[in-house]
Amino acid sequence: MEPENLPSNPFAFEVLSLVSKQRSNAKKVDLLKKYEDPSLKAIFIWNFDESVISLLPEGDVPFEANDAPKGTEHTVLRREYKKLYRFIKGGDEKLVGFKRENLFIQLLEGLHTDEADVIISAKDKTLHQSFKGLSAAVVKEAFNWNDQFARSET
């Protein structure tokens, strides 16, 4: 089994892969807490919160995968996640469909291919299918979120 220690500032796909390999929800929650990051939280909210509506077409995205070796990419999700608001309802209403889709493709092309796949899965709300055992309940418990994916007051 893979060690439970990832490098500092791990990729989202590394964290999610490690979490999905755990047998117990308690272990999954512990790992999500250990590797907590605003970029992961943004992806989870996009994926699990039904009130977050994607303005991008569902399904595959025609982008050219970044074949740069892991760690040498131009961008990383930890920095780029702040741009995700452009792709959801209520985010950037000034963007028209084609421009929004172009920006999304540019974002994906700058990321490691596996990071891009994480974002595509979140867009389509299928992250739990790509990473078995990842559920809204596990994510809510890890980050003390309520049903609206906001911090619980308790």
Side-chain angles (χ1 to χ4, degrees), residues 11 66 71-80 83 106-112 115:
F11 289 101
N66 184 341
T72 62
E73 296 73 31
H74 303 291
T75 60
V76 291
L77 185 54
R78 286 177 175 269
R79 281 196 296 263
E80 298 297 316
K83 297 176 183 175
Q106 288 172 14
L107 173 72
L108 296 178
E109 288 178 346
L111 296 170
H112 183 282
E115 292 277 85

Side-chain angles (χ1 to χ4, degrees), residues 35-104:
Y35 296 108
E36 179 178 348
D37 183 77
S39 61
L40 272 178
K41 289 179 175 181
I43 291 297
F44 292 146
I45 290 169
W46 194 0
N47 185 79
F48 291 115
D49 188 342
E50 292 301 322
S51 71
V52 176
I53 309 296
S54 179
L55 294 176
L56 298 164
E58 214 173 299
D60 292 338
V61 180
F63 75 101
E64 200 168 309
N66 184 341
D67 58 1
K70 184 174 128 183
T72 62
E73 296 73 31
H74 303 291
T75 60
V76 291
L77 185 54
R78 286 177 175 269
R79 281 196 296 263
E80 298 297 316
Y81 82 94
K82 292 180 181 180
K83 297 176 183 175
L84 297 180
Y85 77 94
R86 295 175 170 164
F87 312 116
I88 61 171
K89 189 173 184 176
D92 188 348
E93 300 295 334
K94 296 176 196 158
L95 280 178
V96 293
F98 178 74
K99 176 72 171 166
R100 180 178 286 113
E101 290 171 28
N102 243 358
L103 286 172
F104 190 66

